[in-house]
Amino acid sequence: MSLNYIKNFYEGCMKPPTVIGQFHTLFFGSVRMFFLGVLGFAVYGNEALHFSCDPDKREINLICYNQFRPITPQVFWALQLVIVLVPGAIFHLYAACKSINQECILQKPNYTVIYILSVLLRISLEVVAFWLQIHLFGFQVKPLYLCDAVSLRKKFTTIKCMVPEHFEKTIFLIAMYTFTVITIVLCVAEIFEIIFRRLCFLIKQ
């Protein structure tokens, strides 16, 4: 019985009841994760090692890098991907435990409403992540970062630091913003598809 639950859960996650939902899973699971996992590591993997300040001392580089990156982009985007998956995963886990067929989700009002709420929650999480990304990283990575050196107790209060591969990071930032916007648009489109198919089902009755 437990294997059947796992099978239903897996099928629900990989094949949602809507066409747009299936495309969202394909886009989210393959393109977005591949882009982050492969290209993200190539762009941001050695950033801390190549981040250098003047004077170029390990203690100064570490403190200034922690100011520059309170959280690394790879960790932030990985958390974003995991958190955004949670509403859908919870719904499909519920559907699997209740042995709810994917076709029944759009036929029964209760299941339809719960599924729409999970999509709305997914949209809300993407919007929050989008806002946080703007707050943390902005839209452009500048080649120079001015570090506040007051905590270092040096004669100077500002230290200039060089940000490696700033242009590549700017392109990557824009790409991740674009992926988030595409995901939000797909989620909104999925809600419209659910409403349309629900209306068609009611008309046929």
Side-chain angles (χ1 to χ4, degrees):
M1 187 65 69
S2 59
L3 291 176
N4 191 36
Y5 288 155
I6 295 173
K7 179 184 176 183
N8 292 338
F9 174 72
Y10 176 78
E11 290 178 351
C13 291
M14 298 306 296
K15 193 176 180 182
T18 62
V19 176
I20 296 177
Q22 293 173 21
F23 180 77
H24 170 268
T25 301
L26 176 66
F27 173 80
F28 193 96
S30 58
V31 178
R32 198 172 178 182
M33 288 186 177
F34 174 82
F35 194 87
L36 176 59
V38 178
L39 298 182
F41 180 79
V43 174
Y44 289 95
N46 297 319
E47 183 181 49
L49 295 176
H50 297 132
F51 186 88
S52 61
C53 303
D54 183 20
D56 189 8
K57 295 182 179 180
R58 179 174 174 76
E59 176 192 6
I60 294 175
N61 290 344
L62 286 175
I63 292 176
C64 288
Y65 182 74
N66 288 334
Q67 283 187 24
F68 177 65
R69 294 284 191 219
I71 181 173
T72 59
Q74 308 101 299
V75 172
F76 176 83
W77 289 320
L79 287 173
Q80 177 186 356
L81 293 181
V82 171
I83 292 172
V84 168
L85 286 173
V86 169
I90 292 175
F91 174 82
H92 292 301
L93 181 62
Y94 168 79
C97 293
K98 294 290 185 178
S99 298
I100 302 171
N101 195 300
Q102 292 297 308
E103 286 75 19
C104 295
I105 294 174
L106 301 182
Q107 295 175 0
K108 296 186 178 181
N110 293 340
Y111 299 153
T112 304
V113 171
I114 295 173
Y115 186 75
I116 289 177
L117 288 176
S118 71
V119 177
L120 288 173
L121 182 56
R122 194 194 311 158
I123 293 172
S124 301
L125 291 172
E126 288 282 11
V127 170
V128 171
F130 189 86
W131 179 84
L132 285 174
Q133 185 175 340
I134 293 174
H135 180 72
L136 290 170
F137 310 125
F139 289 96
Q140 182 183 11
V141 179
K142 297 180 180 179
L144 279 178
Y145 173 73
L146 298 180
C147 174
D148 184 5
V150 174
S151 61
L152 296 174
R153 298 178 182 178
K154 302 292 183 182
K155 295 180 180 179
F156 31 81
T157 57
T158 303
I159 296 175
K160 292 183 179 180
C161 300
M162 298 291 295
V163 181
E165 302 170 340
H166 62 93
F167 183 69
E168 292 180 12
K169 291 180 174 65
T170 299
I171 295 175
F172 200 90
L173 272 177
I174 295 172
M176 294 306 293
Y177 282 124
T178 304
F179 287 152
T180 302
V181 171
I182 291 173
T183 303
I184 294 172
V185 170
L186 287 174
C187 290
V188 173
E190 185 177 8
I191 292 177
F192 280 105
E193 182 188 349
I194 293 169
I195 295 172
F196 176 77
R197 290 178 63 177
R198 179 65 187 166
L199 290 173
C200 291
F201 175 77
L202 292 174
I203 291 172
K204 289 179 181 178
Q205 284 186 325

